[in-house]
Amino acid sequence: AISGNVPKRVLIRAAGPALGTFGVTGVLTNPRLDLYRGATLLQGNDDWGGGEALSAAFGQVGAFQFPGATSQDAALLVELDPGSYTAQVSGVGAGTGVALVEIYELP
């Protein structure tokens, strides 16, 4: 939920394969991240792509870096108006496993 009366810039991540570097087993090898407001899909991401803006945002909030531009982890960098939102993670191709959802407010 975003409170107040001004939009906030938010980083949302779905880490799956990246968790393996921390010794987590059974990871979700290809997570898809979708962001909803109510029943409306606002944005989605499958394979974050290694963009500079996302990498910089990871550093700004102190989040660990994903293993590389080709990792199949997912991330969104969005500006959200006040209100309630839902981040949903699913496995591409009906995959299952362990994933970590992280939400950070950017400065």
PDB file of all heavy atoms in Angstrom, residues 36-79:
ATOM      1  N   TYR A  36      -0.504  -5.768  -9.801  1.00  0.00           N
ATOM      2  CA  TYR A  36      -1.926  -5.486  -9.990  1.00  0.00           C
ATOM      3  C   TYR A  36      -2.387  -4.353  -9.080  1.00  0.00           C
ATOM      4  O   TYR A  36      -1.889  -4.199  -7.960  1.00  0.00           O
ATOM      5  CB  TYR A  36      -2.775  -6.716  -9.622  1.00  0.00           C
ATOM      6  CG  TYR A  36      -2.624  -7.874 -10.553  1.00  0.00           C
ATOM      7  CD1 TYR A  36      -1.628  -8.828 -10.356  1.00  0.00           C
ATOM      8  CD2 TYR A  36      -3.490  -8.042 -11.626  1.00  0.00           C
ATOM      9  CE1 TYR A  36      -1.489  -9.918 -11.203  1.00  0.00           C
ATOM     10  CE2 TYR A  36      -3.367  -9.128 -12.486  1.00  0.00           C
ATOM     11  CZ  TYR A  36      -2.365 -10.054 -12.269  1.00  0.00           C
ATOM     12  OH  TYR A  36      -2.243 -11.122 -13.115  1.00  0.00           O
ATOM     13  N   ARG A  37      -3.357  -3.622  -9.570  1.00  0.00           N
ATOM     14  CA  ARG A  37      -4.139  -2.721  -8.725  1.00  0.00           C
ATOM     15  C   ARG A  37      -5.567  -3.204  -8.867  1.00  0.00           C
ATOM     16  O   ARG A  37      -6.160  -3.093  -9.951  1.00  0.00           O
ATOM     17  CB  ARG A  37      -4.015  -1.272  -9.160  1.00  0.00           C
ATOM     18  CG  ARG A  37      -4.756  -0.345  -8.198  1.00  0.00           C
ATOM     19  CD  ARG A  37      -4.316   1.080  -8.340  1.00  0.00           C
ATOM     20  NE  ARG A  37      -4.861   1.843  -7.218  1.00  0.00           N
ATOM     21  CZ  ARG A  37      -4.654   3.104  -7.020  1.00  0.00           C
ATOM     22  NH1 ARG A  37      -3.880   3.778  -7.858  1.00  0.00           N
ATOM     23  NH2 ARG A  37      -5.188   3.718  -5.992  1.00  0.00           N
ATOM     24  N   GLY A  38      -6.073  -3.812  -7.817  1.00  0.00           N
ATOM     25  CA  GLY A  38      -7.359  -4.494  -7.913  1.00  0.00           C
ATOM     26  C   GLY A  38      -7.194  -5.662  -8.870  1.00  0.00           C
ATOM     27  O   GLY A  38      -6.244  -6.426  -8.782  1.00  0.00           O
ATOM     28  N   ALA A  39      -8.088  -5.782  -9.831  1.00  0.00           N
ATOM     29  CA  ALA A  39      -8.014  -6.865 -10.810  1.00  0.00           C
ATOM     30  C   ALA A  39      -7.260  -6.453 -12.078  1.00  0.00           C
ATOM     31  O   ALA A  39      -7.121  -7.249 -13.005  1.00  0.00           O
ATOM     32  CB  ALA A  39      -9.422  -7.317 -11.183  1.00  0.00           C
ATOM     33  N   THR A  40      -6.736  -5.225 -12.103  1.00  0.00           N
ATOM     34  CA  THR A  40      -6.075  -4.702 -13.301  1.00  0.00           C
ATOM     35  C   THR A  40      -4.577  -4.952 -13.261  1.00  0.00           C
ATOM     36  O   THR A  40      -3.896  -4.519 -12.325  1.00  0.00           O
ATOM     37  CB  THR A  40      -6.332  -3.185 -13.436  1.00  0.00           C
ATOM     38  OG1 THR A  40      -7.741  -2.958 -13.463  1.00  0.00           O
ATOM     39  CG2 THR A  40      -5.692  -2.628 -14.691  1.00  0.00           C
ATOM     40  N   LEU A  41      -4.072  -5.645 -14.285  1.00  0.00           N
ATOM     41  CA  LEU A  41      -2.637  -5.862 -14.421  1.00  0.00           C
ATOM     42  C   LEU A  41      -1.995  -4.565 -14.887  1.00  0.00           C
ATOM     43  O   LEU A  41      -2.336  -4.043 -15.948  1.00  0.00           O
ATOM     44  CB  LEU A  41      -2.350  -6.983 -15.426  1.00  0.00           C
ATOM     45  CG  LEU A  41      -0.882  -7.242 -15.747  1.00  0.00           C
ATOM     46  CD1 LEU A  41      -0.114  -7.715 -14.516  1.00  0.00           C
ATOM     47  CD2 LEU A  41      -0.774  -8.262 -16.883  1.00  0.00           C
ATOM     48  N   LEU A  42      -1.060  -4.031 -14.084  1.00  0.00           N
ATOM     49  CA  LEU A  42      -0.379  -2.782 -14.434  1.00  0.00           C
ATOM     50  C   LEU A  42       0.903  -3.031 -15.224  1.00  0.00           C
ATOM     51  O   LEU A  42       1.170  -2.350 -16.201  1.00  0.00           O
ATOM     52  CB  LEU A  42      -0.051  -1.978 -13.174  1.00  0.00           C
ATOM     53  CG  LEU A  42      -1.234  -1.573 -12.303  1.00  0.00           C
ATOM     54  CD1 LEU A  42      -0.751  -0.858 -11.056  1.00  0.00           C
ATOM     55  CD2 LEU A  42      -2.196  -0.704 -13.089  1.00  0.00           C
ATOM     56  N   GLN A  43       1.706  -3.965 -14.742  1.00  0.00           N
ATOM     57  CA  GLN A  43       2.977  -4.303 -15.395  1.00  0.00           C
ATOM     58  C   GLN A  43       3.360  -5.717 -15.020  1.00  0.00           C
ATOM     59  O   GLN A  43       2.936  -6.241 -13.992  1.00  0.00           O
ATOM     60  CB  GLN A  43       4.102  -3.368 -14.945  1.00  0.00           C
ATOM     61  CG  GLN A  43       4.065  -2.005 -15.532  1.00  0.00           C
ATOM     62  CD  GLN A  43       5.362  -1.247 -15.262  1.00  0.00           C
ATOM     63  OE1 GLN A  43       6.445  -1.814 -15.237  1.00  0.00           O
ATOM     64  NE2 GLN A  43       5.239   0.046 -15.059  1.00  0.00           N
ATOM     65  N   GLY A  44       4.229  -6.292 -15.845  1.00  0.00           N
ATOM     66  CA  GLY A  44       4.762  -7.602 -15.557  1.00  0.00           C
ATOM     67  C   GLY A  44       6.186  -7.710 -16.058  1.00  0.00           C
ATOM     68  O   GLY A  44       6.622  -6.919 -16.897  1.00  0.00           O
ATOM     69  N   ASN A  45       6.923  -8.683 -15.523  1.00  0.00           N
ATOM     70  CA  ASN A  45       8.283  -8.910 -15.974  1.00  0.00           C
ATOM     71  C   ASN A  45       8.622 -10.384 -15.836  1.00  0.00           C
ATOM     72  O   ASN A  45       8.336 -11.012 -14.829  1.00  0.00           O
ATOM     73  CB  ASN A  45       9.281  -8.072 -15.171  1.00  0.00           C
ATOM     74  CG  ASN A  45      10.708  -8.307 -15.610  1.00  0.00           C
ATOM     75  OD1 ASN A  45      11.457  -8.997 -14.936  1.00  0.00           O
ATOM     76  ND2 ASN A  45      11.092  -7.752 -16.745  1.00  0.00           N
ATOM     77  N   ASP A  46       9.250 -10.897 -16.876  1.00  0.00           N
ATOM     78  CA  ASP A  46       9.807 -12.243 -16.888  1.00  0.00           C
ATOM     79  C   ASP A  46      11.229 -12.084 -17.427  1.00  0.00           C
ATOM     80  O   ASP A  46      11.402 -11.720 -18.587  1.00  0.00           O
ATOM     81  CB  ASP A  46       8.963 -13.152 -17.796  1.00  0.00           C
ATOM     82  CG  ASP A  46       9.617 -14.507 -18.008  1.00  0.00           C
ATOM     83  OD1 ASP A  46      10.353 -14.955 -17.127  1.00  0.00           O
ATOM     84  OD2 ASP A  46       9.400 -15.092 -19.076  1.00  0.00           O
ATOM     85  N   ASP A  47      12.209 -12.299 -16.603  1.00  0.00           N
ATOM     86  CA  ASP A  47      13.629 -12.113 -16.926  1.00  0.00           C
ATOM     87  C   ASP A  47      13.957 -10.619 -16.928  1.00  0.00           C
ATOM     88  O   ASP A  47      13.638  -9.904 -17.866  1.00  0.00           O
ATOM     89  CB  ASP A  47      14.008 -12.734 -18.276  1.00  0.00           C
ATOM     90  CG  ASP A  47      13.655 -14.216 -18.360  1.00  0.00           C
ATOM     91  OD1 ASP A  47      13.428 -14.849 -17.306  1.00  0.00           O
ATOM     92  OD2 ASP A  47      13.596 -14.734 -19.476  1.00  0.00           O
ATOM     93  N   TRP A  48      14.590 -10.162 -15.908  1.00  0.00           N
ATOM     94  CA  TRP A  48      14.796  -8.736 -15.655  1.00  0.00           C
ATOM     95  C   TRP A  48      15.635  -8.033 -16.699  1.00  0.00           C
ATOM     96  O   TRP A  48      15.477  -6.844 -16.924  1.00  0.00           O
ATOM     97  CB  TRP A  48      15.366  -8.532 -14.262  1.00  0.00           C
ATOM     98  CG  TRP A  48      16.825  -8.849 -14.120  1.00  0.00           C
ATOM     99  CD1 TRP A  48      17.392 -10.085 -14.159  1.00  0.00           C
ATOM    100  CD2 TRP A  48      17.879  -7.925 -13.917  1.00  0.00           C
ATOM    101  NE1 TRP A  48      18.748  -9.989 -13.982  1.00  0.00           N
ATOM    102  CE2 TRP A  48      19.077  -8.663 -13.821  1.00  0.00           C
ATOM    103  CE3 TRP A  48      17.949  -6.546 -13.784  1.00  0.00           C
ATOM    104  CZ2 TRP A  48      20.308  -8.074 -13.617  1.00  0.00           C
ATOM    105  CZ3 TRP A  48      19.187  -5.974 -13.575  1.00  0.00           C
ATOM    106  CH2 TRP A  48      20.344  -6.723 -13.495  1.00  0.00           C
ATOM    107  N   GLY A  49      16.564  -8.703 -17.360  1.00  0.00           N
ATOM    108  CA  GLY A  49      17.284  -8.127 -18.486  1.00  0.00           C
ATOM    109  C   GLY A  49      18.522  -7.314 -18.186  1.00  0.00           C
ATOM    110  O   GLY A  49      19.216  -6.900 -19.096  1.00  0.00           O
ATOM    111  N   GLY A  50      18.828  -7.046 -16.931  1.00  0.00           N
ATOM    112  CA  GLY A  50      20.082  -6.379 -16.589  1.00  0.00           C
ATOM    113  C   GLY A  50      20.166  -4.903 -16.907  1.00  0.00           C
ATOM    114  O   GLY A  50      21.255  -4.377 -17.055  1.00  0.00           O
ATOM    115  N   GLY A  51      19.060  -4.226 -17.007  1.00  0.00           N
ATOM    116  CA  GLY A  51      19.082  -2.807 -17.344  1.00  0.00           C
ATOM    117  C   GLY A  51      19.804  -1.959 -16.309  1.00  0.00           C
ATOM    118  O   GLY A  51      19.820  -2.262 -15.120  1.00  0.00           O
ATOM    119  N   GLU A  52      20.407  -0.862 -16.792  1.00  0.00           N
ATOM    120  CA  GLU A  52      21.164   0.029 -15.910  1.00  0.00           C
ATOM    121  C   GLU A  52      20.294   0.657 -14.832  1.00  0.00           C
ATOM    122  O   GLU A  52      20.727   0.797 -13.695  1.00  0.00           O
ATOM    123  CB  GLU A  52      21.850   1.114 -16.726  1.00  0.00           C
ATOM    124  CG  GLU A  52      23.031   0.607 -17.537  1.00  0.00           C
ATOM    125  CD  GLU A  52      23.739   1.727 -18.278  1.00  0.00           C
ATOM    126  OE1 GLU A  52      23.811   2.858 -17.747  1.00  0.00           O
ATOM    127  OE2 GLU A  52      24.219   1.458 -19.388  1.00  0.00           O
ATOM    128  N   ALA A  53      19.073   1.057 -15.185  1.00  0.00           N
ATOM    129  CA  ALA A  53      18.189   1.689 -14.204  1.00  0.00           C
ATOM    130  C   ALA A  53      17.861   0.718 -13.071  1.00  0.00           C
ATOM    131  O   ALA A  53      17.862   1.098 -11.895  1.00  0.00           O
ATOM    132  CB  ALA A  53      16.911   2.182 -14.866  1.00  0.00           C
ATOM    133  N   LEU A  54      17.597  -0.539 -13.419  1.00  0.00           N
ATOM    134  CA  LEU A  54      17.305  -1.535 -12.386  1.00  0.00           C
ATOM    135  C   LEU A  54      18.542  -1.807 -11.533  1.00  0.00           C
ATOM    136  O   LEU A  54      18.465  -1.849 -10.304  1.00  0.00           O
ATOM    137  CB  LEU A  54      16.791  -2.837 -13.010  1.00  0.00           C
ATOM    138  CG  LEU A  54      15.328  -2.811 -13.429  1.00  0.00           C
ATOM    139  CD1 LEU A  54      14.988  -4.026 -14.281  1.00  0.00           C
ATOM    140  CD2 LEU A  54      14.416  -2.749 -12.224  1.00  0.00           C
ATOM    141  N   SER A  55      19.692  -1.987 -12.153  1.00  0.00           N
ATOM    142  CA  SER A  55      20.926  -2.232 -11.399  1.00  0.00           C
ATOM    143  C   SER A  55      21.224  -1.087 -10.438  1.00  0.00           C
ATOM    144  O   SER A  55      21.607  -1.308  -9.293  1.00  0.00           O
ATOM    145  CB  SER A  55      22.114  -2.430 -12.345  1.00  0.00           C
ATOM    146  OG  SER A  55      21.999  -3.638 -13.041  1.00  0.00           O
ATOM    147  N   ALA A  56      21.032   0.146 -10.909  1.00  0.00           N
ATOM    148  CA  ALA A  56      21.247   1.304 -10.048  1.00  0.00           C
ATOM    149  C   ALA A  56      20.264   1.313  -8.884  1.00  0.00           C
ATOM    150  O   ALA A  56      20.643   1.624  -7.743  1.00  0.00           O
ATOM    151  CB  ALA A  56      21.126   2.594 -10.855  1.00  0.00           C
ATOM    152  N   ALA A  57      19.011   0.954  -9.151  1.00  0.00           N
ATOM    153  CA  ALA A  57      18.008   0.908  -8.082  1.00  0.00           C
ATOM    154  C   ALA A  57      18.373  -0.148  -7.042  1.00  0.00           C
ATOM    155  O   ALA A  57      18.190   0.073  -5.845  1.00  0.00           O
ATOM    156  CB  ALA A  57      16.625   0.641  -8.671  1.00  0.00           C
ATOM    157  N   PHE A  58      18.896  -1.296  -7.481  1.00  0.00           N
ATOM    158  CA  PHE A  58      19.326  -2.327  -6.528  1.00  0.00           C
ATOM    159  C   PHE A  58      20.335  -1.725  -5.550  1.00  0.00           C
ATOM    160  O   PHE A  58      20.261  -1.928  -4.339  1.00  0.00           O
ATOM    161  CB  PHE A  58      19.992  -3.507  -7.244  1.00  0.00           C
ATOM    162  CG  PHE A  58      19.103  -4.331  -8.153  1.00  0.00           C
ATOM    163  CD1 PHE A  58      17.775  -4.037  -8.360  1.00  0.00           C
ATOM    164  CD2 PHE A  58      19.630  -5.423  -8.812  1.00  0.00           C
ATOM    165  CE1 PHE A  58      16.982  -4.811  -9.207  1.00  0.00           C
ATOM    166  CE2 PHE A  58      18.860  -6.200  -9.657  1.00  0.00           C
ATOM    167  CZ  PHE A  58      17.533  -5.891  -9.859  1.00  0.00           C
ATOM    168  N   GLY A  59      21.306  -0.981  -6.096  1.00  0.00           N
ATOM    169  CA  GLY A  59      22.333  -0.364  -5.264  1.00  0.00           C
ATOM    170  C   GLY A  59      21.774   0.697  -4.339  1.00  0.00           C
ATOM    171  O   GLY A  59      22.191   0.807  -3.188  1.00  0.00           O
ATOM    172  N   GLN A  60      20.820   1.494  -4.829  1.00  0.00           N
ATOM    173  CA  GLN A  60      20.232   2.561  -4.019  1.00  0.00           C
ATOM    174  C   GLN A  60      19.550   2.035  -2.769  1.00  0.00           C
ATOM    175  O   GLN A  60      19.568   2.685  -1.728  1.00  0.00           O
ATOM    176  CB  GLN A  60      19.204   3.350  -4.824  1.00  0.00           C
ATOM    177  CG  GLN A  60      19.788   4.351  -5.780  1.00  0.00           C
ATOM    178  CD  GLN A  60      18.676   5.134  -6.458  1.00  0.00           C
ATOM    179  OE1 GLN A  60      17.865   4.570  -7.191  1.00  0.00           O
ATOM    180  NE2 GLN A  60      18.629   6.426  -6.201  1.00  0.00           N
ATOM    181  N   VAL A  61      18.922   0.871  -2.871  1.00  0.00           N
ATOM    182  CA  VAL A  61      18.168   0.347  -1.724  1.00  0.00           C
ATOM    183  C   VAL A  61      18.940  -0.708  -0.951  1.00  0.00           C
ATOM    184  O   VAL A  61      18.456  -1.222   0.053  1.00  0.00           O
ATOM    185  CB  VAL A  61      16.790  -0.209  -2.159  1.00  0.00           C
ATOM    186  CG1 VAL A  61      15.947   0.888  -2.779  1.00  0.00           C
ATOM    187  CG2 VAL A  61      16.935  -1.387  -3.106  1.00  0.00           C
ATOM    188  N   GLY A  62      20.145  -1.063  -1.414  1.00  0.00           N
ATOM    189  CA  GLY A  62      20.955  -2.052  -0.714  1.00  0.00           C
ATOM    190  C   GLY A  62      20.557  -3.486  -0.998  1.00  0.00           C
ATOM    191  O   GLY A  62      20.867  -4.378  -0.220  1.00  0.00           O
ATOM    192  N   ALA A  63      19.877  -3.720  -2.120  1.00  0.00           N
ATOM    193  CA  ALA A  63      19.482  -5.085  -2.488  1.00  0.00           C
ATOM    194  C   ALA A  63      20.661  -5.791  -3.171  1.00  0.00           C
ATOM    195  O   ALA A  63      21.447  -5.150  -3.864  1.00  0.00           O
ATOM    196  CB  ALA A  63      18.287  -5.047  -3.437  1.00  0.00           C
ATOM    197  N   PHE A  64      20.763  -7.091  -2.973  1.00  0.00           N
ATOM    198  CA  PHE A  64      21.825  -7.838  -3.640  1.00  0.00           C
ATOM    199  C   PHE A  64      21.601  -7.804  -5.145  1.00  0.00           C
ATOM    200  O   PHE A  64      20.468  -7.731  -5.620  1.00  0.00           O
ATOM    201  CB  PHE A  64      21.914  -9.283  -3.122  1.00  0.00           C
ATOM    202  CG  PHE A  64      20.690 -10.130  -3.356  1.00  0.00           C
ATOM    203  CD1 PHE A  64      20.529 -10.855  -4.527  1.00  0.00           C
ATOM    204  CD2 PHE A  64      19.696 -10.214  -2.387  1.00  0.00           C
ATOM    205  CE1 PHE A  64      19.404 -11.647  -4.746  1.00  0.00           C
ATOM    206  CE2 PHE A  64      18.564 -10.996  -2.588  1.00  0.00           C
ATOM    207  CZ  PHE A  64      18.421 -11.712  -3.773  1.00  0.00           C
ATOM    208  N   GLN A  65      22.693  -7.819  -5.890  1.00  0.00           N
ATOM    209  CA  GLN A  65      22.606  -7.808  -7.350  1.00  0.00           C
ATOM    210  C   GLN A  65      22.192  -9.188  -7.850  1.00  0.00           C
ATOM    211  O   GLN A  65      22.547 -10.201  -7.251  1.00  0.00           O
ATOM    212  CB  GLN A  65      23.952  -7.416  -7.975  1.00  0.00           C
ATOM    213  CG  GLN A  65      24.333  -5.965  -7.740  1.00  0.00           C
ATOM    214  CD  GLN A  65      23.428  -4.983  -8.456  1.00  0.00           C
ATOM    215  OE1 GLN A  65      22.966  -5.220  -9.562  1.00  0.00           O
ATOM    216  NE2 GLN A  65      23.172  -3.844  -7.824  1.00  0.00           N
ATOM    217  N   PHE A  66      21.460  -9.221  -8.932  1.00  0.00           N
ATOM    218  CA  PHE A  66      21.160 -10.486  -9.598  1.00  0.00           C
ATOM    219  C   PHE A  66      22.416 -10.933 -10.338  1.00  0.00           C
ATOM    220  O   PHE A  66      23.266 -10.110 -10.683  1.00  0.00           O
ATOM    221  CB  PHE A  66      19.978 -10.337 -10.543  1.00  0.00           C
ATOM    222  CG  PHE A  66      18.633 -10.205  -9.852  1.00  0.00           C
ATOM    223  CD1 PHE A  66      17.559  -9.651 -10.517  1.00  0.00           C
ATOM    224  CD2 PHE A  66      18.432 -10.646  -8.557  1.00  0.00           C
ATOM    225  CE1 PHE A  66      16.309  -9.539  -9.909  1.00  0.00           C
ATOM    226  CE2 PHE A  66      17.198 -10.543  -7.928  1.00  0.00           C
ATOM    227  CZ  PHE A  66      16.137  -9.985  -8.613  1.00  0.00           C
ATOM    228  N   PRO A  67      22.569 -12.246 -10.585  1.00  0.00           N
ATOM    229  CA  PRO A  67      23.824 -12.773 -11.118  1.00  0.00           C
ATOM    230  C   PRO A  67      24.269 -12.227 -12.474  1.00  0.00           C
ATOM    231  O   PRO A  67      25.427 -12.328 -12.810  1.00  0.00           O
ATOM    232  CB  PRO A  67      23.591 -14.275 -11.227  1.00  0.00           C
ATOM    233  CG  PRO A  67      22.307 -14.565 -10.583  1.00  0.00           C
ATOM    234  CD  PRO A  67      21.615 -13.294 -10.299  1.00  0.00           C
ATOM    235  N   GLY A  68      23.403 -11.663 -13.239  1.00  0.00           N
ATOM    236  CA  GLY A  68      23.792 -11.112 -14.535  1.00  0.00           C
ATOM    237  C   GLY A  68      22.567 -10.792 -15.362  1.00  0.00           C
ATOM    238  O   GLY A  68      21.441 -11.132 -14.997  1.00  0.00           O
ATOM    239  N   ALA A  69      22.805 -10.149 -16.488  1.00  0.00           N
ATOM    240  CA  ALA A  69      21.709  -9.708 -17.346  1.00  0.00           C
ATOM    241  C   ALA A  69      20.878 -10.857 -17.884  1.00  0.00           C
ATOM    242  O   ALA A  69      19.721 -10.672 -18.241  1.00  0.00           O
ATOM    243  CB  ALA A  69      22.258  -8.883 -18.506  1.00  0.00           C
ATOM    244  N   THR A  70      21.445 -12.042 -17.931  1.00  0.00           N
ATOM    245  CA  THR A  70      20.703 -13.184 -18.469  1.00  0.00           C
ATOM    246  C   THR A  70      20.021 -14.018 -17.390  1.00  0.00           C
ATOM    247  O   THR A  70      19.391 -15.020 -17.714  1.00  0.00           O
ATOM    248  CB  THR A  70      21.623 -14.090 -19.304  1.00  0.00           C
ATOM    249  OG1 THR A  70      22.676 -14.567 -18.466  1.00  0.00           O
ATOM    250  CG2 THR A  70      22.190 -13.341 -20.503  1.00  0.00           C
ATOM    251  N   SER A  71      20.136 -13.609 -16.126  1.00  0.00           N
ATOM    252  CA  SER A  71      19.450 -14.376 -15.081  1.00  0.00           C
ATOM    253  C   SER A  71      17.952 -14.290 -15.301  1.00  0.00           C
ATOM    254  O   SER A  71      17.435 -13.307 -15.847  1.00  0.00           O
ATOM    255  CB  SER A  71      19.817 -13.882 -13.679  1.00  0.00           C
ATOM    256  OG  SER A  71      19.026 -12.787 -13.290  1.00  0.00           O
ATOM    257  N   GLN A  72      17.236 -15.295 -14.889  1.00  0.00           N
ATOM    258  CA  GLN A  72      15.791 -15.332 -15.104  1.00  0.00           C
ATOM    259  C   GLN A  72      15.005 -14.798 -13.914  1.00  0.00           C
ATOM    260  O   GLN A  72      13.798 -14.999 -13.830  1.00  0.00           O
ATOM    261  CB  GLN A  72      15.368 -16.751 -15.469  1.00  0.00           C
ATOM    262  CG  GLN A  72      15.904 -17.155 -16.835  1.00  0.00           C
ATOM    263  CD  GLN A  72      15.430 -18.519 -17.266  1.00  0.00           C
ATOM    264  OE1 GLN A  72      15.489 -19.472 -16.504  1.00  0.00           O
ATOM    265  NE2 GLN A  72      14.963 -18.600 -18.495  1.00  0.00           N
ATOM    266  N   ASP A  73      15.678 -14.084 -13.008  1.00  0.00           N
ATOM    267  CA  ASP A  73      14.979 -13.393 -11.937  1.00  0.00           C
ATOM    268  C   ASP A  73      14.151 -12.266 -12.556  1.00  0.00           C
ATOM    269  O   ASP A  73      14.373 -11.886 -13.704  1.00  0.00           O
ATOM    270  CB  ASP A  73      15.992 -12.826 -10.938  1.00  0.00           C
ATOM    271  CG  ASP A  73      16.848 -13.922 -10.324  1.00  0.00           C
ATOM    272  OD1 ASP A  73      16.336 -14.651  -9.458  1.00  0.00           O
ATOM    273  OD2 ASP A  73      18.019 -14.057 -10.723  1.00  0.00           O
ATOM    274  N   ALA A  74      13.197 -11.728 -11.810  1.00  0.00           N
ATOM    275  CA  ALA A  74      12.303 -10.702 -12.347  1.00  0.00           C
ATOM    276  C   ALA A  74      12.341  -9.452 -11.473  1.00  0.00           C
ATOM    277  O   ALA A  74      12.544  -9.540 -10.260  1.00  0.00           O
ATOM    278  CB  ALA A  74      10.877 -11.248 -12.433  1.00  0.00           C
ATOM    279  N   ALA A  75      12.131  -8.293 -12.103  1.00  0.00           N
ATOM    280  CA  ALA A  75      12.131  -7.034 -11.357  1.00  0.00           C
ATOM    281  C   ALA A  75      11.336  -5.977 -12.108  1.00  0.00           C
ATOM    282  O   ALA A  75      11.286  -5.969 -13.337  1.00  0.00           O
ATOM    283  CB  ALA A  75      13.561  -6.542 -11.134  1.00  0.00           C
ATOM    284  N   LEU A  76      10.737  -5.085 -11.338  1.00  0.00           N
ATOM    285  CA  LEU A  76      10.003  -3.943 -11.885  1.00  0.00           C
ATOM    286  C   LEU A  76      10.430  -2.681 -11.149  1.00  0.00           C
ATOM    287  O   LEU A  76      10.600  -2.699  -9.923  1.00  0.00           O
ATOM    288  CB  LEU A  76       8.492  -4.109 -11.688  1.00  0.00           C
ATOM    289  CG  LEU A  76       7.787  -5.237 -12.412  1.00  0.00           C
ATOM    290  CD1 LEU A  76       6.362  -5.390 -11.891  1.00  0.00           C
ATOM    291  CD2 LEU A  76       7.787  -4.970 -13.908  1.00  0.00           C
ATOM    292  N   LEU A  77      10.584  -1.605 -11.875  1.00  0.00           N
ATOM    293  CA  LEU A  77      10.839  -0.288 -11.319  1.00  0.00           C
ATOM    294  C   LEU A  77       9.666   0.579 -11.748  1.00  0.00           C
ATOM    295  O   LEU A  77       9.479   0.833 -12.941  1.00  0.00           O
ATOM    296  CB  LEU A  77      12.162   0.257 -11.867  1.00  0.00           C
ATOM    297  CG  LEU A  77      12.682   1.558 -11.294  1.00  0.00           C
ATOM    298  CD1 LEU A  77      12.864   1.467  -9.778  1.00  0.00           C
ATOM    299  CD2 LEU A  77      14.013   1.910 -11.951  1.00  0.00           C
ATOM    300  N   VAL A  78       8.830   0.968 -10.779  1.00  0.00           N
ATOM    301  CA  VAL A  78       7.573   1.642 -11.107  1.00  0.00           C
ATOM    302  C   VAL A  78       7.334   2.842 -10.200  1.00  0.00           C
ATOM    303  O   VAL A  78       7.840   2.898  -9.083  1.00  0.00           O
ATOM    304  CB  VAL A  78       6.369   0.677 -10.993  1.00  0.00           C
ATOM    305  CG1 VAL A  78       6.427  -0.410 -12.029  1.00  0.00           C
ATOM    306  CG2 VAL A  78       6.272   0.070  -9.606  1.00  0.00           C
ATOM    307  N   GLU A  79       6.557   3.780 -10.705  1.00  0.00           N
ATOM    308  CA  GLU A  79       6.067   4.886  -9.894  1.00  0.00           C
ATOM    309  C   GLU A  79       4.586   4.636  -9.658  1.00  0.00           C
ATOM    310  O   GLU A  79       3.819   4.492 -10.611  1.00  0.00           O
ATOM    311  CB  GLU A  79       6.282   6.225 -10.592  1.00  0.00           C
ATOM    312  CG  GLU A  79       5.947   7.388  -9.687  1.00  0.00           C
ATOM    313  CD  GLU A  79       6.472   8.708 -10.210  1.00  0.00           C
ATOM    314  OE1 GLU A  79       7.671   8.785 -10.545  1.00  0.00           O
ATOM    315  OE2 GLU A  79       5.670   9.651 -10.269  1.00  0.00           O
TER     316      GLU A  79
END
